[in-house]
Amino acid sequence: KAGVTQTPRYLIKTRGQQVTLSCSPISGHRSVSWYQQTPGQGLQFLFEYFSETQRNKGNFPGRFSGRQFSNSRSEMNVSTLELGDSALYLCASSLEYEQFFGPGTRLTVL
Amino acid sequence: ILNVEQSPQSLHVQEGDSTNFTCSFPSSNFYALHWYRWETAKSPEALFVMTLNGDEKKKGRISATLNTKEGYSYLYIKGSQPEDSATYLCAPGGGAGSYQLTFGKGTKLSVIP
């Protein structure tokens, strides 16, 4: 069974730009969650989608948004990038409570 | 759950030593406590999912216990090997219709051959 895939793996953007990250969950998993890791911080919850509906959202500004498609693939978008958005973004898919993580997208904002 | 603490932050042990880490949480208002192993440049790998107070789980040389009444979980590694070098994360979460996890900052283990 294929694992969670994320594209792209690495991304460099400049301040003010926007970025879209993609996550393909494990086949059959209907829930996708997104997490951010910045240096010195633990993984911070961004949002969770289940059957195309946002079920939960973390404490992030409105510049961070996401969506989920009917095939459970998910995208997250960050608009008006700031230097502090440089981070590793992980997505995780779930069938029930166990979450399976992808390899992450490393975003660098210059 | 606002604050999940893990200790120690980092640990260096000799190959063959046994070691343990602590995860503490102020509230037991969650469905399950998860332990992950995260090696550099790889995806976090699920080790255990524990749901009941008093739960004990074991996978090879690694085991974990959960005490929801006193708000902690322990992870034990018996006879550490260099391949055990990784960051170990604990994350309580789930419940109320969400799978959201709240992560601690992790314990970074380095096993010296």
Side-chain angles (χ1 to χ4, degrees):
Chain A
K1 205 175 206 182
V4 178
T5 58
Q6 292 187 244
T7 56
R9 292 292 311 277
Y10 302 91
L11 204 48
I12 298 175
K13 293 284 188 179
T14 55
R15 278 182 298 174
Q17 288 187 309
Q18 75 163 17
V19 67
T20 299
L21 311 181
S22 181
C23 172
S24 293
I26 293 170
S27 177
H29 288 194
R30 294 165 64 188
S31 171
V32 173
S33 299
W34 289 88
Y35 294 85
Q36 180 200 62
Q37 188 190 42
T38 50
Q41 296 296 317
L43 288 167
Q44 303 289 314
F45 172 75
L46 280 157
F47 22 66
E48 175 189 5
Y49 288 88
F50 183 86
S51 293
E52 301 180 66
T53 301
Q54 187 179 88
R55 188 156 72 172
N56 205 353
K57 189 178 192 306
N59 189 24
F60 280 82
R63 302 184 296 106
F64 290 82
S65 63
R67 59 179 176 168
Q68 187 180 33
F69 302 96
S70 58
N71 61 358
S72 294
R73 190 177 70 86
S74 177
E75 289 181 346
M76 65 164 281
N77 183 277
V78 188
S79 62
T80 320
L81 283 165
E82 301 177 359
L83 294 178
D85 297 333
S86 294
L88 179 68
Y89 292 88
L90 288 171
C91 87
S93 77
S94 310
L95 185 58
E96 293 187 350
Y97 285 94
E98 188 167 6
Q99 295 200 7
F100 298 85
F101 282 86
T105 294
R106 173 75 63 184
L107 171 65
T108 301
V109 182
L110 303 176
Chain B
I1 298 171
L2 297 178
N3 195 23
V4 178
E5 297 283 347
Q6 289 191 248
S7 61
Q9 281 189 328
S10 65
L11 196 53
H12 291 77
V13 300
Q14 292 290 135
E15 182 176 352
D17 287 350
S18 294
T19 187
N20 64 85
F21 324 133
T22 303
C23 170
S24 60
F25 38 88
S27 163
S28 296
N29 187 23
F30 56 85
Y31 177 76
L33 185 124
H34 304 243
W35 280 98
Y36 286 88
R37 173 168 58 202
W38 196 2
E39 296 178 66
T40 303
K42 294 187 177 179
S43 309
E45 173 197 355
L47 288 173
F48 303 113
V49 181
M50 295 184 289
T51 57
L52 299 174
N53 182 47
D55 243 357
E56 293 186 22
K57 299 269 178 132
K58 186 175 181 182
K59 185 186 290 188
R61 296 178 291 99
I62 305 177
S63 60
T65 60
L66 175 63
N67 186 324
T68 56
K69 290 183 179 178
E70 297 187 23
Y72 65 84
S73 177
Y74 292 144
L75 187 80
Y76 303 90
I77 302 179
K78 184 178 178 182
S80 302
Q81 299 296 309
E83 58 265 31
D84 295 329
S85 296
T87 296
Y88 291 82
L89 302 172
C90 86
S98 170
Y99 297 154
Q100 176 187 345
L101 298 179
T102 301
F103 282 87
K105 292 185 180 180
T107 293
K108 185 172 182 180
L109 174 68
S110 299
V111 182
I112 304 161

